[in-house]
Amino acid sequence: MVRYKGLGEVPTSGIAKRGGPMAPLGGAPRLVLLFSGKRKSGKDFVTEALQSRLGADVCAILRLSGPLKEQYAQEHGLNFQRLLDASTYKEAYRRDMIRWGEEKRQADPGFFCRKIVEGVSQPVWLVSDTRRVSDIQWFQETYGAMTQTIRVVALEQSRQQRGWVFTPGVDDAESECGLDNFGGFDWVIENHGDEQRLEEQLENLIEFIHSRL
């Protein structure tokens, strides 16, 4: 194990064979980073910052909520594009989308995971919205040692300053709390509003990513 500054211990074991027997059709990644965190913790900000530095040709951002929203929109006659942005339109359907998504996952835990990896060719994948233990298990079983779990944390005060308001049925649902007791994340990124601290952590993570390429 190697301890990166401020980011905890990271395993140094070898990388599993690219795109092993369980890997779906598509590109074979060198590294799969599974990001999780509460609403307004900054998961999207962090993944977008990493992609901008690594380059879109090297790094792909994959969102589990994408196929969920697309499928939900199709089945309910809604505007898919409006469900993607941070709008009141999306918020109006969030609770029902969560319920619908849970039903899909219970029937097939890998349903949304398989959809987002189809046809991705970049060597580094950033899954920006891992929410459940079953999500992590699917990627670990499929891509083995190429996976790393990353928890983005922010103080409640910082999240409130970014517009977070506790919403019953959302913030106490599995989609927000499913990984609260997961523990053992390979990396923890603190995003409390200290830009210099965040920059140091991003630099360490980018150094690690380069070491795997």
Side-chain angles (χ1 to χ4, degrees), residues 93-149:
Y93 295 102
R94 183 189 285 272
R95 256 188 244 186
D96 193 57
M97 269 197 296
I98 290 172
R99 176 200 59 75
W100 178 87
E102 293 303 331
E103 291 177 358
K104 288 287 186 184
R105 284 188 179 86
Q106 286 170 9
D108 179 1
F111 182 80
F112 298 113
C113 298
R114 284 195 303 275
K115 282 187 173 293
I116 65 167
V117 303
E118 291 175 358
V120 182
S121 59
Q122 293 94 324
V124 178
W125 298 358
L126 310 181
V127 182
S128 68
D129 55 352
T130 312
R131 297 179 183 277
R132 297 161 182 81
V133 173
S134 61
D135 296 335
I136 292 177
Q137 288 175 336
W138 186 88
F139 279 99
Q140 288 179 335
E141 289 171 3
T142 305
Y143 298 104
M146 286 179 282
T147 60
Q148 293 277 296
T149 55

Side-chain angles (χ1 to χ4, degrees), residues 33-36 46-47 50 126-130 150 152 205:
L33 304 181
L34 307 176
F35 288 82
S36 67
V46 168
T47 53
L50 289 170
L126 310 181
V127 182
S128 68
D129 55 352
T130 312
I150 303 175
V152 181
L205 184 52

